[in-house]
Amino acid sequence: MKYPKYLSENGTIGFVAPSFGCNIEPYHTAFENAKEKFCRLGHSLDLGPNCYAGEGIGISNTPRKCGQELTDYYCSEKNDILISCGGGELMCEILDHLDLERISNAAPKWYMGYSDNTNFTFLLPTIWDTASVYGPCAAAFGMEPWHDSLQDAYDLLRGKKFAFAGYPLWEKESLKNEDDPLQPYHVTEPVQIRCFTEGSETPLSPSEASLEFSGRLIGGCMDILVNLLGTSYDRVPAFLERYREDGFIWFLESCDLNVFAIRRAIWQMQHAGWFKYVKGFLIGRPYCFGQEMIGLDQYRAVNDLLARYKVPIIMDMDLGHLPPMMPVICGAFATVKVSQNQYEISYVQK
């Protein structure tokens, strides 16, 4: 696995908008403040042409222009890392307009984003053997003050921190809006992780030893992953064989999927062979948190199918669409430690 160079003290941060741009509120003002904060930290900025664009359908601009921007800025020597402006809906359509050969021949570069950005954060390791960061998009860095998760993401990009613990509270309802675009995460709900093995919940009481497992992290937003599955961009089988000796920890979360759609997504990935050599699953809080439909909740949606692998399944983690989200290095070898209601993900470059 190739690990890009970390952002230096005075390094240049590039911004691109392969999904939505920052053309409307509250994202526009938040992005402006994020740029100011990065400049105060000593960084130069390199903005792609689509950062403020709003001409596209489900993305910032046309698929061709978005694909061109991402290719050019990933391959450019004028920036050191890339942060996506935001998530969106149809980033998949830009993939046909990426120059795959240019990206393959370019120096590895950190790319960070989540949700729709799974279209690139997942392909970087599975196609190009290059680690990426599943983490916050650009506008989130405009909040005042930064939540600890934003500092963690920045410290990771700087190469200063390689072990990350969960946060005590999460946001059920955001207070950020057009009139208050710099509002920080409204964290009010206590985090309560749940651990399952072989279909049954396994409480981690104070008297029990901590749970620990290692493997290569891979995953992202399930909405996007199942859309990529079976396409020409699905290189997962070959990726699994290349790193089979490490085994894999799948991290998964969802945005638009209800509990039945989550279960269908798990079934589809399972039957595609994606969970071969699995060592464990890390499941983020779904956007439909707490939903139950015809007897199916978010826990059975996952565990009924994944129980067959007899590996740890840690649920309601700080991943994805219900903040905060810890930064996850997609493609990296990691060790997960869980004890009671605490967990930590630590990385080793190999």
Side-chain angles (χ1 to χ4, degrees):
M1 184 62 58
K2 292 176 285 189
Y3 292 85
K5 292 181 179 179
Y6 293 98
L7 180 66
S8 63
E9 184 175 358
N10 297 308
T12 299
I13 302 173
F15 297 97
V16 289
S19 192
F20 279 148
C22 294
N23 61 308
I24 61 172
E25 295 295 354
Y27 308 104
H28 184 278
T29 297
F31 183 44
E32 291 299 301
N33 198 51
K35 292 193 303 180
E36 292 180 10
K37 292 170 79 78
F38 283 128
C39 286
R40 289 198 296 270
L41 287 167
H43 300 293
S44 301
L45 309 180
D46 184 23
L47 272 65
N50 297 324
C51 288
Y52 297 104
E55 288 80 43
I57 298 176
I59 52 178
S60 63
N61 213 320
T62 66
R64 183 176 297 278
K65 289 182 178 179
C66 288
Q68 185 69 52
E69 178 193 57
L70 183 53
T71 298
D72 289 346
Y73 276 69
Y74 187 85
C75 299
S76 173
E77 296 182 358
K78 295 180 180 179
N79 61 74
D80 300 304
I81 67 165
L82 287 183
I83 302 177
S84 176
C85 283
E89 300 294 341
L90 293 174
M91 186 178 166
C92 58
E93 293 186 0
I94 84 164
L95 299 181
D96 295 339
H97 301 285
L98 293 178
D99 190 327
L100 304 187
E101 185 174 355
R102 278 186 66 195
I103 293 172
S104 178
N105 293 329
K109 180 177 294 184
W110 287 115
Y111 178 91
M112 184 168 73
Y114 81 109
S115 191
D116 207 19
N117 291 281
T118 299
N119 283 290
F120 200 55
T121 59
F122 186 71
L123 297 190
L124 279 167
T126 57
I127 294 180
W128 294 291
D129 288 308
T130 298
S132 63
V133 180
Y134 195 77
C137 294
F141 289 91
M143 70 174 64
E144 294 287 359
W146 276 3
H147 184 272
D148 287 347
S149 60
L150 276 297
Q151 186 65 50
D152 281 347
Y154 176 69
D155 288 345
L156 173 58
L157 293 173
R158 288 292 316 278
K160 291 186 172 183
K161 188 173 182 179
F162 300 102
F164 302 91
Y167 311 103
L169 300 170
W170 62 278
E171 178 185 89
K172 187 175 184 179
E173 184 176 354
S174 175
L175 298 181
K176 186 165 100 171
N177 54 47
E178 295 179 5
D179 298 321
D180 195 358
L182 306 185
Q183 182 70 220
Y185 293 144
H186 181 224
V187 289
T188 58
E189 307 302 305
V191 169
Q192 182 62 56
I193 60 170
R194 299 178 66 175
C195 176
F196 296 80
T197 305
E198 298 186 44
S200 299
E201 187 163 7
T202 308
L204 293 168
S205 67
S207 62
E208 293 176 332
S210 62
L211 175 67
E212 182 174 329
F213 53 99
S214 300
R216 197 162 291 277
L217 275 167
I218 193 66
C221 181
M222 283 188 280
D223 309 43
I224 310 305
L225 293 173
V226 294
N227 192 55
L228 292 170
L229 196 156
T231 70
S232 60
Y233 302 103
D234 177 1
R235 313 289 178 84
V236 173
F239 175 77
L240 297 181
E241 293 303 324
R242 285 199 300 276
Y243 297 101
R244 62 185 297 176
E245 297 302 321
D246 295 331
F248 299 90
I249 301 172
W250 280 87
F251 68 94
L252 302 167
E253 57 98 12
S254 63
C255 177
D256 295 332
L257 306 184
N258 64 32
V259 289
F260 278 102
I262 290 172
R263 186 159 174 147
R264 288 191 293 267
I266 294 290
W267 181 92
Q268 190 173 356
M269 289 186 281
Q270 182 181 71
H271 283 267
W274 279 20
F275 300 148
K276 196 176 184 181
Y277 312 126
V278 68
K279 295 287 193 68
F281 294 93
L282 310 180
I283 311 295
R285 293 180 291 271
Y287 203 64
C288 64
F289 189 91
Q291 182 186 72
E292 183 173 337
M293 299 173 67
I294 321 177
L296 184 71
D297 63 14
Q298 66 199 57
Y299 304 104
R300 290 199 63 188
V302 171
N303 287 296
D304 284 359
L305 298 182
L306 297 185
R308 61 182 293 185
Y309 297 103
K310 300 181 180 180
V311 298
I313 304 166
I314 314 301
M315 300 196 66
D316 294 346
M317 295 184 68
D318 293 318
L319 303 170
H321 286 78
L322 291 178
M325 61 180 303
M326 62 167 53
V328 179
I329 306 180
C330 191
F333 188 84
T335 296
V336 178
K337 296 180 181 179
V338 185
S339 179
Q340 299 181 65
N341 199 39
Q342 304 294 323
Y343 61 92
E344 179 186 83
I345 303 177
S346 57
Y347 299 97
V348 175
Q349 292 195 11
K350 76 170 194 172

